[in-house]
């Protein structure tokens, strides 16, 4: 190791919730290792945070869909002591499964599931040497209920929920604490904002800003809370999704998503007429 300084690593730190997590950790005085797919905005963010908060910040451009990424990351991470890992990078989208491209499905699985598990495994000895250590995995309220027209995304987030809770149980005696965050809707970029605008009022009722969620999540991560549901509305929604029978909740939530995709409704009608 080049240094005895400890670092918090955040993936998907270039924008949205990951950027808010990085800013909040910086404001608390943590040194940062930031990863995103595109390096440009990331380098500027690194410079800004290191000057503003007088911390060490390093960044790396890494695409989790690229097979060579984890070898490069393994080499890079050998130089740093890490005590916090925020597995935030995630992608989704709404689609008709019949139209979904193989590459898009594969990318969701690689970024949401594979990157989270492999990065956690790559860093676990490093985290163990730097206890107390914390891992914050970003799932979603979507992990509570299967959803048509999204299918792979909520399933990937159910995986993250299950992986996180199992690992929490396994590692807590080693002073490595795993939390899973369950955000509701967040208007983080234009595409996501436009999708949220087309959904039902109860989806929009749970809207929160990235910096609010980051503050809550990091505070509760340090309190070693295993499941973090930010905001009262999301807590109510989580409870409703647990209590409602799945044959009620799945069509209800799926219909809200169908509103995003008027062309899908037309296609389904056409298929129904043809058969
Ligand atoms: N927004 C919501 O409503 C919502 C709700 C619940 C949960 N979440 C979860 O919260 C997390 C953050 O979401 P967000 O809305 O902030 O997302 P976002 O604004 O789209 O940002 C995603 C981040 O992930 C990075 N990323 C995307 N593809 C990547 C790849 N192939 N390899 C490496 N990095 C990649 C992006 O890097 P670049 O900037 O370089 O592209 C970006 O920094 C995700 O796990 C998401 O599933 C979001």
């Amino acid at each position: 190791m080049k240094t005895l300084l400890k670092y918090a690593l955040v993936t998907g730190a270039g924008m949205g919730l990951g950027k808010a997590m990085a800013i909040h950790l910086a404001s608390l005085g943590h040194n940062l290792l930031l990863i995103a797919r595109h390096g440009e905005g990331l380098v500027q963010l690194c410079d800004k945070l290191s000057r503003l908060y007088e911390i060490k910040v390093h960044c790396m451009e890494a695409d989790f869909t690229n097979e060579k990424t984890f070898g490069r990351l393994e080499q890079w991470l050998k130089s740093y002591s890490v005590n916090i890992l925020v597995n935030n990078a995630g992608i989704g989208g709404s689609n008709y499964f019949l139209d979904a491209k193989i590459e898009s499905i594969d990318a969701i699985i690689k970024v949401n599931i594979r990157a989270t598990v492999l990065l956690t495994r790559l860093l676990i000895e490093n985290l163990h040497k730097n206890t107390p250590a914390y891992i914050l995995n970003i799932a979603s309220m979507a992990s509570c209920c299967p959803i048509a027209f999204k299918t792979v995304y909520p399933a990937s987030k159910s995986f993250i929920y299950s992986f996180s809770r199992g690992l929490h149980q396994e590692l807590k005696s080693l002073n490595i604490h795993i939390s899973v965050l369950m955000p509701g809707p967040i208007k983080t970029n234009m595409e996501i904002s436009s999708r949220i605008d087309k959904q039902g009022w109860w989806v929009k009722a749970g809207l929160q800003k990235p910096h609010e969620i980051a503050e809550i999540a990091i505070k509760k991560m340090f309190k070693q809370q295993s499941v973090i549901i930010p905001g009262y509305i999301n807590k109510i929604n989580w409870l409703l999704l647990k209590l409602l029978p799945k044959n009620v909740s799945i069509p209800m939530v799926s219909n809200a998503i169908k509103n995003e995709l008027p062309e899908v409704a037309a296609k389904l009608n056409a298929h129904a007429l043809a058969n």
Side-chain angles (χ1 to χ4, degrees), residues 12-18 36-38 62-65 88-91 111 138-140 153 157 183-186 188-189 192 196:
M15 57 186 192
L17 186 58
R37 188 177 32 173
H38 304 107
D63 184 342
F64 291 142
T65 63
N88 163 79
I91 50 176
V111 178
I138 315 305
S140 166
Y153 176 76
K157 294 300 184 180
I186 326 163
T188 45
N189 61 51
I192 294 176
I196 291 170

Side-chain angles (χ1 to χ4, degrees), residues 23 47 55 68 122 125 138 153 163 172 193 205 222 250:
I23 293 170
D47 289 346
I55 54 168
K68 293 184 180 147
L122 269 185
E125 282 101 353
I138 315 305
Y153 176 76
F163 171 66
K172 64 182 177 185
S193 302
F222 284 128
I250 296 174

Side-chain angles (χ1 to χ4, degrees), residues 19 51 89 130 132 138 152 154 162 164 179 191 209 218 231 263:
K19 184 174 175 182
R51 271 188 282 110
N130 292 292
I138 315 305
V152 182
S162 172
S164 306
S179 301
E191 192 216 327
K209 297 203 163 66
I218 288 163
E263 71 286 359

